[in-house]
Amino acid sequence: LRLGDPATVAQIATLASKAPPENRGALIQSLEKSGAASAGPAVAAFLADESPQVRAVAAQAVGALGVRDAIPALQRMFERDKPAHGKR
């Protein structure tokens, strides 16, 4: 298996979607490190993950991969995670 290969990216993304949060983050980081263009959409999907930690790792990864198509999803994530007015 080659990490940057689209089939491998798809397999890792599938594994990540079924893994516990701490493992999802590590798998997303492996996709980031691959530098593969095909990893971008797979990583961007995790911007809507239920885990704030996974969303943070995914945000870092889409930035590192330069996934411009993820900008709207990043904006939604930041709005979702923004503290309510007056709360910290």
Side-chain angles (χ1 to χ4, degrees):
L1 295 176
R2 288 188 3 209
L3 190 54
D5 179 64
T8 303
V9 167
Q11 290 175 340
I12 293 171
T14 298
L15 285 172
S17 70
K18 298 175 183 179
E22 59 276 7
N23 294 355
R24 282 197 302 271
L27 289 165
I28 292 166
Q29 287 175 328
S30 71
L31 290 172
E32 174 189 346
K33 290 177 185 172
S34 77
S38 61
V43 170
F46 289 98
L47 293 171
D49 195 89
E50 63 193 35
S51 165
Q53 291 82 9
V54 171
R55 291 193 302 272
V57 170
Q60 168 64 37
V62 296
L65 290 167
V67 185
R68 297 184 63 79
D69 291 343
I71 292 171
L74 280 166
Q75 290 172 325
R76 286 190 299 276
M77 184 195 85
F78 287 126
E79 283 299 315
R80 173 184 177 178
D81 293 345
K82 182 172 58 175
H85 182 68
K87 295 182 181 178
R88 294 199 179 245

